[in-house]
Amino acid sequence: MMTEQAVIVTKNLSKWYGDVRGILGVSLEIPKGITGLVGSNAAGKTTLLHLISGLLKPSQGEVQVLGESAFDGTHFRRQLGLCPQKEALYQHTTVLEFVSILTELHGFSPKEAKKKAQEAIEKVRLSHKIHQKIETLSKGMRQCVKLAQAIAHKPGILLLDEVLTGCDPLVKHHLKALFHEMAQEGATILITSHNLKELEELTDKIVVLDRGKMIAHGKISELQKQSKKQKNQISIEGENLRSLACDLLSYNDITGIEIQEKGILVHTQDFEAFSLRLPGLFSEKDYKIKKIMPVTQNLESLFRFLVGGEH
Amino acid sequence: MKGFLSTLRWNFFHLFQNRYTMLFVAISFLPVLVCIFFQIYPEMAQNTYRVYPDQQEYEFLQSPEQTTPSGIPYKLKTIKLNQQEIFSILSYRFLLGFILLFGLCCLGSKAIGEEVELGTLQMLFLRPINRKTIYISKGIALTLTGLAIALLPLLSMFFLIFRSHGDFLIFFQMIFIYILGILSYSSVFLFIGMFKGGLYLALLYAFFWEFMIVAVTERARKFAISHYLESMVFDLIGQRTGYMSSFWDAAFVLVCVSFVMVVFGIACFDKKEFSFS
């Protein structure tokens, strides 16, 4: 049953490419606002976006967007915008021509479409290149052209596949603000990114995919609560740390130590006891400690925890 | 309707950014050059046949008797092609039966395949337009492009051959044959182009079936579009031979072929899954 706020609903969704698994048994409901789609390479992020946009037909299960079947429906596409990962552009056309004609295909008159295209191009900060041919643009600018065609008709649902890749920091900052603005206006945005830090800045809701399976879904803070184990990791940077590692292993609460490039990562069952013990340990020997910090509970560490450190 | 026209415009965008289109526009003027050549050297526009003693006209021929290397006597008969024949043969054999056949083969088979490769087809699929409209608009864009490529050389040949006193009926009849030919070739190649390696399949079909196999047996000919186009052209100039179909029978077959291929193509395109990853 679709909840009141869910715009996109998938039920037991699977997609196979011959013998290769794209997506397996993904059931999720995506409400309004920004949702991040996290996963390593070949996790099935693009496949999921293509299934939601109706470009691919599910091998099993179903996808409903605004209550309509994604593959067979056409009406929901008035509300849909997709910025694909692949460069799907006509190189010999100008930015304005390309965005205008695609906007026209949403049922607008050529005049309306041109106006909307100009607004969208302005939004992605490409106005100064509006009459330039696409083949002459840089990768970041082409990315903006793809985004402009996706937002020109003011869609209620926006699917963004690695949209910030190739953009410079200023443009990235501006686009993030644009996505926040669209989400506040009631849009549903599903965004994939390899850069988890960027994703964390955009949203607190994530869907984590790993090898085609959905392994977590929800707010980052809630997922972090589930992964309490993470809290008990302390990173120590400095010199002569192998000796410290040997000393630490004699304590019962220490469950493991990882030797890292700049220091060591200590796993403990009792974070408090460990913290109290540290000053005594450091006064006994000259360890030359540069930095001690608990492993931050950011999206990246959560992702590593969720996928079991295999990536 | 608005959506259909926009889709049609998009498809023209695609066709005119294809490098083959301009190439075929240029090549389509080659028959015009041949036509100019015949105007300069009219004696070249004639055919010579051997007539043997068992044929009735043998004794009336004025030409000297010659013998084959095996000693069989024959006389040579020279027939000068009339203007109508030159126009029909040049416009069929060169323009429609060769240049447009291979032109539409390349353009038609790439109309869908290349858009899948470029990823631009997904841009169409993401709009609120059904796939039937996309397919039909592609077919129409291809047919109109084929006609646009053919029209200027056809007109040039017509005025070069008939000058100002030309019989426009033959011109319009030829345009009718072109419409049917381009329509049927477009529908076949658009359908083939939907599948992976469509260009190669289309080239194989065009070269080995439409161009070569038809020359082998009369029965095989009946399964090729080129046979019906040839029948229409030769019926037009009154040179239809035994195995050929009549003008209207051939026209009917071509309309049926186009219709069936379009319906079949729409059904496949509507359900086919394209990968844009």
Side-chain angles (χ1 to χ4, degrees):
Chain A
M1 184 100 177
M2 194 168 84
T3 61
E4 201 186 323
Q5 286 177 329
V7 177
I8 300 164
V9 179
T10 72
K11 287 176 193 164
N12 194 27
L13 185 65
S14 298
K15 178 70 195 169
W16 293 83
Y17 301 99
D19 293 336
V20 181
R21 180 174 75 193
I23 284 285
L24 187 67
V26 173
S27 297
L28 58 87
E29 293 185 357
I30 296 170
K32 286 185 175 175
I34 305 177
T35 305
L37 196 53
V38 186
S40 47
N41 287 333
K45 301 186 296 290
T46 301
T47 301
L48 185 58
L49 287 192
H50 283 191
L51 284 162
I52 291 170
S53 57
L55 290 174
L56 290 176
K57 200 193 290 182
S59 306
Q60 201 183 2
E62 59 174 314
V63 193
Q64 289 211 326
V65 184
L66 297 171
E68 210 179 346
S69 163
F71 187 75
D72 300 312
T74 50
H75 295 295
F76 79 91
R77 293 198 178 125
R78 288 189 192 281
Q79 286 295 314
L80 182 78
L82 169 76
C83 179
Q85 192 178 9
K86 192 177 174 184
E87 206 165 89
L89 304 162
Y90 278 145
Q91 307 292 338
H92 304 312
T93 56
T94 67
V95 175
L96 183 62
E97 276 171 349
F98 185 77
V99 181
S100 295
I101 186 141
L102 282 170
T103 312
E104 229 180 276
L105 290 167
H106 277 280
F108 297 106
S109 69
K111 203 177 164 187
E112 275 177 313
K114 195 175 174 184
K115 197 179 160 210
K116 284 183 184 293
Q118 279 168 333
E119 284 169 8
I121 293 165
E122 170 101 45
K123 275 185 182 171
V124 297
R125 299 211 164 164
L126 217 56
S127 298
H128 59 299
K129 301 278 181 186
I130 198 161
H131 297 297
Q132 209 158 311
K133 285 198 172 175
I134 291 172
E135 63 189 348
T136 64
L137 302 180
S138 68
K139 195 191 171 193
M141 285 173 177
R142 287 173 196 216
Q143 200 74 349
C144 289
V145 177
K146 284 194 284 176
L147 181 61
Q149 65 75 30
I151 62 169
H153 57 290
K154 297 191 173 64
I157 304 164
L158 192 56
L159 307 175
L160 306 168
D161 201 353
E162 303 286 346
V163 70
L164 299 172
T165 309
C167 297
D168 66 52
L170 271 176
V171 174
K172 273 184 189 175
H173 180 74
H174 171 73
L175 293 182
K176 279 180 212 165
L178 177 68
F179 300 149
H180 278 302
E181 192 188 311
M182 288 179 75
Q184 273 169 4
E185 285 169 5
T188 304
I189 301 176
L190 187 58
I191 179 166
T192 72
S193 178
H194 275 115
N195 190 328
L196 300 178
K197 204 179 163 205
E198 270 172 8
L199 211 53
E200 209 173 0
E201 285 167 25
L202 275 168
T203 181
D204 64 340
K205 284 179 288 182
I206 56 161
V207 174
V208 185
L209 291 175
D210 184 39
R211 284 167 289 181
K213 286 183 184 169
M214 188 178 73
I215 54 171
H217 175 209
K219 289 196 167 184
I220 296 175
S221 54
E222 284 166 9
L223 293 172
Q224 278 166 338
K225 275 181 201 164
Q226 292 167 20
S227 62
K228 276 182 185 170
K229 204 173 151 189
Q230 271 203 118
K231 286 184 181 174
N232 301 333
Q233 291 178 359
I234 301 105
S235 162
I236 304 173
E237 288 179 20
E239 289 168 28
N240 195 21
L241 293 179
R242 282 178 185 272
S243 158
L244 175 64
C246 292
D247 291 346
L248 284 173
L249 280 172
S250 61
Y251 296 99
N252 289 336
D253 59 292
I254 306 295
T255 53
I257 293 177
E258 288 174 39
I259 306 292
Q260 295 181 326
E261 198 183 337
K262 289 182 181 172
I264 57 172
L265 184 71
V266 183
H267 298 257
T268 172
Q269 285 175 331
D270 190 343
F271 183 74
E272 213 176 319
F274 178 80
S275 309
L276 292 171
R277 194 184 301 130
L278 280 179
L281 269 171
F282 295 155
S283 62
E284 280 171 25
K285 285 184 187 173
D286 182 18
Y287 286 116
K288 290 181 185 167
I289 304 297
K290 286 180 188 163
K291 205 189 223 175
I292 303 173
M293 57 173 196
V295 172
T296 51
Q297 294 174 35
N298 60 10
L299 186 53
E300 192 164 337
S301 62
L302 180 65
F303 177 67
R304 280 175 192 277
F305 167 71
L306 289 169
V307 299
E310 290 177 36
H311 300 275
Chain B
M1 190 63 187
K2 208 193 276 178
F4 176 77
L5 290 176
S6 307
T7 319
L8 197 62
R9 225 179 110 199
W10 171 272
N11 286 315
F12 275 120
F13 247 123
H14 175 71
L15 279 169
F16 286 105
Q17 92 144 21
N18 193 322
R19 59 185 185 279
Y20 291 117
T21 310
M22 288 305 132
L23 180 72
F24 284 109
V25 168
I27 294 176
S28 65
F29 278 90
L30 287 180
V32 182
L33 293 180
V34 178
C35 206
I36 293 170
F37 176 79
F38 282 152
Q39 298 305 307
I40 300 168
Y41 303 104
E43 70 274 11
M44 299 298 278
Q46 60 186 29
N47 285 329
T48 307
Y49 303 96
R50 283 180 183 183
V51 178
Y52 294 99
D54 58 333
Q55 288 171 280
Q56 281 184 350
E57 56 190 315
Y58 185 81
E59 56 186 286
F60 303 108
L61 281 175
Q62 298 301 312
S63 59
E65 191 177 74
Q66 298 176 52
T67 51
T68 62
S70 53
I72 302 167
Y74 68 89
K75 286 181 183 176
L76 284 176
K77 180 187 175 185
T78 302
I79 300 174
K80 223 177 161 198
L81 295 174
N82 65 33
Q83 288 169 320
Q84 220 177 27
E85 285 168 342
I86 295 174
F87 176 66
S88 302
I89 290 167
L90 273 184
S91 54
Y92 168 68
R93 290 232 190 275
F94 275 35
L95 193 56
L96 185 58
F98 184 71
I99 295 168
L100 279 170
L101 167 65
F102 285 99
L104 289 169
C105 170
C106 293
L107 296 180
S109 61
K110 280 180 146 279
I112 293 172
E114 198 176 59
E115 278 219 270
V116 173
E117 228 168 80
L118 288 170
T120 47
L121 192 64
Q122 68 179 309
M123 294 294 186
L124 280 183
F125 285 170
L126 291 167
R127 313 290 140 176
I129 307 160
N130 63 42
R131 290 188 174 203
K132 294 177 190 77
T133 308
I134 297 173
Y135 190 84
I136 291 172
S137 66
K138 275 199 176 295
I140 292 174
L142 188 63
T143 307
L144 290 179
T145 305
L147 270 175
I149 292 175
L151 201 63
L152 204 56
L154 202 62
L155 257 175
S156 311
M157 282 193 289
F158 181 78
F159 283 107
L160 272 170
I161 294 170
F162 297 102
R163 301 216 168 71
S164 55
H165 53 275
D167 179 4
F168 274 92
L169 185 65
I170 189 175
F171 178 74
F172 289 117
Q173 281 170 322
M174 195 50 93
I175 287 280
F176 178 68
I177 297 172
Y178 266 66
I179 292 172
L180 285 181
I182 291 170
L183 190 69
S184 32
Y185 280 142
S186 297
S187 59
V188 169
F189 293 127
L190 195 62
F191 174 75
I192 296 175
M194 212 187 311
F195 303 97
K196 226 175 179 179
L199 175 67
Y200 304 106
L201 277 176
L203 279 172
L204 272 176
Y205 169 79
F207 191 73
F208 286 104
W209 194 258
E210 288 293 326
F211 205 64
M212 302 275 288
I213 295 283
V214 289
V216 179
T217 67
E218 283 176 17
R219 276 201 176 177
R221 260 177 218 170
K222 300 251 175 188
F223 294 98
I225 290 169
S226 55
H227 164 76
Y228 295 97
L229 291 172
E230 189 185 31
S231 298
M232 286 177 86
V233 170
F234 280 82
D235 200 7
L236 190 68
I237 55 173
Q239 288 191 356
R240 181 158 71 97
T241 53
Y243 70 91
M244 287 179 177
S245 310
S246 72
F247 189 90
W248 291 109
D249 282 354
F252 178 72
V253 171
L254 291 177
V255 169
C256 290
V257 167
S258 309
F259 181 76
V260 168
M261 290 313 293
V262 168
V263 170
F264 206 44
I266 288 173
C268 287
F269 190 70
D270 204 29
K271 295 290 164 206
K272 189 168 165 57
E273 188 182 61
F274 297 94
S275 176
F276 299 105
S277 311

